[in-house]
Amino acid sequence: MAQACRRAIELGLPSIAFTEHLDFTVWHEDDAATSRGLIDRHPAHQLPIDVQGYFAELEECRGRFPELRILSGVETGEPHLFAASIAEHLRHSPVDRVLGSLHSLTLDGRLVGVGRLLYDDRDVTMRRYLTEIVRMIQQSDVFEVLAHVDFPRRYWPGGSEHYVEKDYEEEYRAVFRALAGTGRALEVNTSSPLASVDQVRWFREEGGAAISFGSDAHQPTAVGQRFDLAVDIVEAAGFRPGRDQFDFWRR
Ligand SMILES: [Fe+2]
């Protein structure tokens, strides 16, 4: 965390959020995952968050780097399926920033990583993925930023350079309409192959008002990766810096 903070300061970033993955391999009986008949997850190597260690280190960094605004956070995976489990976690360990993301789709009663499903039928999987995101937005209000809207493009068979956003414009627009309708922010994720100006413009045209920049770093060296390019894309799509340097970008 300290290395990530140091990197953020080097780059001149005003703020950093540490959004730990909050994924469940066992879950609450009140979760929709239970009522949808899910029994398992593949892969299932996700570990519980070390809440104590996390907050201790975060506090240490806040003391050490007063020039940087340091936000606590979680990235909730499939939050519409785990509302009760997430609520319980956040009740004990509230955070500043909650992201929502989809990494998996259901297959035969299991949640399966979407990268694996792409190899069966990439086109069907991609449409299913974006349709499930609409459901996730409609059925969960726990997150304020939608993370990596087209996560599967990272794992596109044959290479992400063969992924064509335009083929899914209708599905993207449905996602963006749903997200904009709730006033939430779209993340431009710079660990994924970058979104095009067109894609960010679709969000704007569907009423989108707020953009967040996420480097999805996982390693200190990746903090703020390609933010220069991402800023150009977001600006070209018609967004501007918000009310201060800590705000989302706005239309
Ligand atoms: Fe993610």
Side-chain angles (χ1 to χ4, degrees), residues 5-79:
C5 291
R6 228 174 276 122
R7 180 75 187 136
I9 292 166
E10 265 167 38
L11 292 170
L13 296 176
S15 181
I16 188 170
F18 290 96
T19 51
E20 287 292 297
H21 281 286
L22 182 57
D23 294 308
F24 297 93
T25 52
V26 290
W27 47 80
H28 206 275
E29 60 178 18
D30 292 339
D31 285 331
T34 306
S35 52
R36 277 171 70 161
L38 294 172
I39 51 161
D40 199 4
R41 172 195 278 283
H42 284 287
H45 54 244
Q46 295 86 349
L47 295 171
I49 297 174
D50 170 12
V51 169
Q52 253 191 325
Y54 171 89
F55 280 105
E57 211 166 323
L58 196 86
E59 276 316 309
E60 195 192 315
C61 286
R62 282 175 173 161
R64 225 160 122 187
F65 307 105
E67 66 273 51
L68 188 66
R69 185 178 289 189
I70 302 172
L71 303 185
S72 60
V74 288
E75 175 183 340
T76 58
E78 299 84 39

Side-chain angles (χ1 to χ4, degrees), residues 166-221:
K166 186 86 187 144
D167 291 349
Y168 306 99
E169 178 177 346
E170 209 177 300
E171 286 83 359
Y172 275 109
R173 283 185 180 275
V175 168
F176 295 155
R177 257 196 311 282
L179 191 67
T182 65
R184 286 181 274 183
L186 176 70
E187 176 195 82
V188 170
N189 186 296
T190 62
S191 175
S192 288
L194 284 179
S196 68
V197 174
D198 276 346
Q199 190 201 120
V200 181
R201 195 179 284 131
W202 295 337
F203 176 57
R204 192 175 187 280
E205 286 171 2
E206 296 300 335
I211 295 280
S212 169
F213 295 90
S215 53
D216 206 343
H218 287 253
Q219 299 294 332
T221 50

Side-chain angles (χ1 to χ4, degrees), residues 21 75 101-103 147-148 151 154 189 216 218:
H21 281 286
E75 175 183 340
S101 70
L102 190 72
H103 301 113
H148 52 57
F151 177 73
R154 295 184 186 181
N189 186 296
D216 206 343
H218 287 253

